[in-house]
Amino acid sequence: MPTKSKPAKPKVKAILDSYQGDPSMLVSILQDVQAEYNYLPKETLTQVSQDLDIPLTRVYSVATFFKAFSLKPRGRHIINVCLGTACHVRGAVRIRDEIERELDIKPGETTEDFKFTLETVNCVGACALGPIVIIDSKYSGQMKPDKVKTLLESYD
Ligand code: FES
């Protein structure tokens, strides 16, 4: 196990400073770090642990407990395909398959150019609009496989 950490990241330092080193704000700090990098790079967790003076194991346990956090690099855009019951019966699996085919990735994976990460969710509470694809925070309802390519191409 390497013990030497990489140089501190100034953006993480600024985030930590904005919370005045308050260890009770760990989740919010990790959210801000993830918003900055799209995931939680290893060295940022070390930096957070050192700055807040809390064990690295605790930082990791929080970072791995919440599904919203990722320790792996993610794409600039996060695609969520709803596979809840209502979307499922309206063809959500075909939408997911089409996205997989277009991007050549499976759920949980990221494209080689780090443009997209594909994930699935179970019901986002908008069943009447199903099947639904959410990219970042934008909802696209009544999706059809033949709309997938155009939707994906609308992202830089
Ligand atoms: S099942 Fe997809 S929004 Fe409810």
Side-chain angles (χ1 to χ4, degrees):
M1 274 280 268
T3 50
K4 231 174 162 195
S5 56
K6 289 186 181 173
K9 291 187 178 285
K11 285 175 184 167
V12 177
K13 183 74 187 130
I15 291 167
L16 286 160
D17 287 349
S18 73
Y19 288 95
Q20 296 159 340
D22 181 353
S24 71
M25 299 306 288
L26 178 59
V27 172
S28 299
I29 290 167
L30 293 181
Q31 281 174 331
D32 286 4
V33 172
Q34 176 152 299
E36 188 62 47
Y37 298 97
N38 250 348
Y39 79 110
L40 297 171
K42 211 185 278 180
E43 62 270 25
T44 65
L45 298 183
T46 306
Q47 198 175 341
V48 167
S49 157
Q50 289 170 350
D51 200 278
L52 298 181
D53 197 22
I54 54 180
L56 186 57
T57 50
R58 175 154 157 61
V59 177
Y60 264 97
S61 70
V62 171
T64 52
F65 179 78
F66 293 101
K67 194 174 174 262
F69 291 133
S70 175
L71 299 179
K72 287 194 306 191
R74 301 204 302 169
R76 294 193 301 284
H77 303 292
I78 310 298
I79 305 170
N80 271 294
V81 179
C82 179
L83 294 180
T85 308
C87 288
H88 192 277
V89 299
R90 292 179 178 155
V93 170
R94 284 171 47 230
I95 307 297
R96 182 204 58 200
D97 290 350
E98 185 62 18
I99 295 172
E100 286 182 8
R101 202 185 60 73
E102 276 293 330
L103 300 178
D104 197 22
I105 55 172
K106 298 281 182 197
E109 294 179 350
T110 297
T111 55
E112 278 180 13
D113 60 1
F114 291 101
K115 185 171 176 184
F116 291 111
T117 294
L118 176 59
E119 291 176 351
T120 60
V121 285
N122 285 318
C123 192
V124 291
C127 307
L129 300 175
I132 290 185
V133 173
I134 305 133
I135 302 185
D136 302 331
S137 54
K138 187 165 180 280
Y139 285 53
S140 297
Q142 282 141 13
M143 275 304 295
K144 297 196 180 334
D146 62 5
K147 286 190 194 168
V148 163
K149 194 174 191 321
T150 308
L151 177 66
L152 296 176
E153 283 175 352
S154 69
Y155 287 82
D156 292 331

